[in-house]
Amino acid sequence: MKPGFMDLDFMAGALQFGRRGLGRSGSNPSVGALVVKDGIVVGRGVTASGGRPHAEPVALAQAGALARGATLYVTLEPCSHTGKSPPCVEAVIAAGIARVVSAMEDPNPLVAGQGHSRLRSAGIEVLTNILAAEARQAHLGHILRVTQGRPMVTLKIAQTADGYAAGGDYDPRLMITGQAANSFVQVLRSQHDAIMIGSETARIDDPALTVRLAGVDCKPLRVVLDREASLNVRSRLVVSAREIPTLIFVGEAADKARISALIDMGVDVEVVPLSGAHLDLKAALQALAHRGVTRVFSEGGPQVGSALIDLGLADEVVLLTAPKPFGRRGVAALSIGARTALGSEALYRTSEPTHIGMDKLEMFERR
């Protein structure tokens, strides 16, 4: 059965609504759901903060008696297993929904088509794969966590017009992008469970890695890749660790006294193996997935950014380019190999460049 134009429109609306929960739904996907009766939205839901309740029961409760005979638009297959809450398919059936339009099947082995099957067995018409490509992108963190054991990674790169991310050793910190682009980055931070940087960025910039948006109260996990546990205990990350969750990945040979000092300050420390001279990025991401993280925003600097691209771990890349060049030799924003990979049509699809204020914005999605 082919979808009608209204099916596409309502699914687009469900996807847009579901994005409100990005970075807040814990280990669960941020699903959007709309209950539509006679062409009117009578109930809507998004996965709640922490992951429960799910979007479907929220939308059904809002619709109430109007749900009977209505259509449910949902951006991911309703769950069919009992976890910390009852299966969503039971709520859908009990509400008297006549038709379910689902964007995609849930690759989670606990669901994997069983939700759609149970709905059909209950006599409900089910239409699937509606705006599936858009839904896959929206739920990429969940998909990668259940299929590859890692979260999705958004890599943010800011560079001068001549391709530098920083000056030399004795240059002051570069303020590359303008206020509009900086506000855009704050929005992106708020849509992820964790913000990740490398130890050099932590040392040089001493960032707070907080979400600074009026009216937005969220505290993504702050992650530092710090092989030697060298993070200064007086840094902004450490002194605020009791208020904002902070995790440092260290190598097995990291100094035990420094680790203890960090732990005493409220920092969570986890050992991951090395890959060559650096922490194993795949192992670090797997450790984050084990903690329930599905979406990571990397602002880790040139070394971490280049490694993520080289290893095929940068699923989305946000490239912000300032209008002014640095004008002399500095630290390249990306390695030659990473920049070549980013420009490969076989590896990344790119959207049309646009501008945020004076800065150029380019978005890349890994194929």
Side-chain angles (χ1 to χ4, degrees), residues 7 13 38 49 57 62 88 128 133-135 141-142 176 193 253 261 275 311 332 348:
D7 289 332
D38 299 325
S49 294
Q62 190 178 101
C88 288
T128 63
E134 292 86 341
H142 166 71
I176 297 174
D193 309 302
S275 177
L311 293 170
Y348 285 93

Side-chain angles (χ1 to χ4, degrees), residues 29 52 76 128 147 211 238 283 304:
R52 293 175 183 81
L76 188 68
T128 63
T147 61
V211 175
V238 175
V304 173

